[in-house]
Amino acid sequence: MMRWLQLGFQDGMSLFMMELIEFHDYIMLVLTGILVLVGCAFISLGSTKHSGREVLDSQVVEGVWTIVPGVILIFLALPSLHLLYLSDEMFSPSLTVKAIGHQWYWSYEYSDLTAFMFDSYMVGEENLVSGDYRLLEVDNRLVLPYGVESRILVTGADVIHAWTVPSMGVKVDAVPGRLNQLGLVLFGPGVFYGQCSEICGANHSFMPIVLESVNWEDFIVWVRG
């Protein structure tokens, strides 16, 4: 039972992820309605003894099965475009962080803080403590304050990587020589895990991402410490 419960989305902890989950539920509702309608039509056609062999065409039927799918696509496209623009919208970020993908670790630079940067390596199995996650723990976590908008600039230093945190609903390619950006508004405190999701070499699966969300006061203490 627990295996089936793990097939869904992780709990959304950002505005964009919450919107993404709602859009997914909306699409599934539409698809369920379509499947029920088509299934009922198949059952009806298979169980009836009446057939219209003399009917060669029906303008009404052709009009209905052309217009109805078009209307359904419009109702799917509008919220999809809303999410697309929401993912690119940047209002007034309070903090900017640059994430740089290397083979095979991440570096983080806090652009608003002078000379504040660090590398984030995966913790080996021999150094794990009770409660740590194998292949997901790092020695230095990315720390962000919740309740404010943060901007993440993502790039690569050697090959293409991908900065991905499922709980945030973000997956951004880290391309050498190019900056991609995303905005995050975290809902509350917590620790969230991700991994590079671009095949970047032999140790691709050993460059995890750990994002820790804290309040603004604790963030200032962490920066000063």
Side-chain angles (χ1 to χ4, degrees), residues 87-90 93-101 106-112 142-145 148-155 162-165 168 170-174 178-186 209 211-212 219:
S87 64
D88 289 335
E89 193 69 34
M90 298 293 294
S94 303
L95 182 68
T96 299
V97 179
K98 186 177 181 181
I100 306 171
W106 292 95
S107 294
Y108 297 103
E109 299 178 5
Y110 286 74
S111 304
D112 300 325
L142 172 64
V143 180
L144 294 177
V148 298
E149 184 173 13
S150 302
R151 176 172 56 187
I152 312 295
L153 303 177
V154 184
T155 188
W163 198 82
T164 307
V165 183
M168 303 294 112
V170 295
K171 178 184 180 295
V172 180
D173 285 340
R178 177 175 178 177
L179 283 177
N180 292 324
Q181 71 171 7
L182 61 97
L184 285 179
V185 180
L186 307 178
I209 302 162
L211 190 159
E212 183 173 356
F219 175 75

Side-chain angles (χ1 to χ4, degrees), residues 48-212:
T48 183
K49 296 182 179 180
H50 303 285
S51 61
R53 292 187 299 175
E54 306 299 329
V55 178
L56 299 179
D57 68 281
S58 175
Q59 298 297 326
V60 175
V61 174
E62 291 180 5
V64 168
W65 72 36
T66 301
I67 295 174
V68 171
V71 172
I72 293 175
L73 289 177
I74 291 175
F75 278 95
L76 293 179
L78 292 179
S80 177
L81 290 174
H82 168 71
L83 275 178
L84 180 63
Y85 284 104
L86 183 64
S87 64
D88 289 335
E89 193 69 34
M90 298 293 294
F91 297 100
S92 54
S94 303
L95 182 68
T96 299
V97 179
K98 186 177 181 181
I100 306 171
H102 303 267
Q103 290 183 319
W104 286 271
Y105 63 96
W106 292 95
S107 294
Y108 297 103
E109 299 178 5
Y110 286 74
S111 304
D112 300 325
L113 308 174
T114 304
F116 186 69
M117 61 177 296
F118 57 86
D119 298 330
S120 180
Y121 289 88
M122 186 189 74
V123 175
E125 293 185 36
E126 66 279 1
N127 296 321
L128 294 176
V129 299
S130 178
D132 286 349
Y133 293 101
R134 176 179 173 271
L135 301 182
L136 286 178
E137 295 293 341
V138 297
D139 54 358
N140 294 305
R141 296 174 174 176
L142 172 64
V143 180
L144 294 177
Y146 62 81
V148 298
E149 184 173 13
S150 302
R151 176 172 56 187
I152 312 295
L153 303 177
V154 184
T155 188
D158 33 49
V159 298
I160 299 178
H161 303 274
W163 198 82
T164 307
V165 183
S167 294
M168 303 294 112
V170 295
K171 178 184 180 295
V172 180
D173 285 340
V175 182
R178 177 175 178 177
L179 283 177
N180 292 324
Q181 71 171 7
L182 61 97
L184 285 179
V185 180
L186 307 178
F187 282 164
V191 179
F192 312 103
Y193 296 88
Q195 286 179 308
C196 173
S197 54
E198 191 76 41
I199 300 178
C200 56
N203 292 331
H204 152 70
S205 57
F206 302 102
M207 50 183 302
I209 302 162
V210 181
L211 190 159
E212 183 173 356

Side-chain angles (χ1 to χ4, degrees), residues 5-66:
L5 293 177
Q6 294 174 359
L7 295 179
F9 289 110
Q10 296 185 13
D11 293 337
M13 289 300 296
S14 69
L15 175 62
F16 180 72
M17 187 58 182
M18 295 298 292
E19 293 276 352
L20 199 61
I21 293 175
E22 290 183 3
F23 180 57
H24 169 267
D25 295 341
Y26 170 71
I27 289 180
M28 292 305 296
L29 181 62
V30 174
L31 290 179
T32 302
I34 294 174
L35 288 175
V36 170
L37 180 62
V38 173
C40 290
F42 269 111
I43 294 173
S44 176
L45 290 174
S47 60
T48 183
K49 296 182 179 180
H50 303 285
S51 61
R53 292 187 299 175
E54 306 299 329
V55 178
L56 299 179
D57 68 281
S58 175
Q59 298 297 326
V60 175
V61 174
E62 291 180 5
V64 168
W65 72 36
T66 301

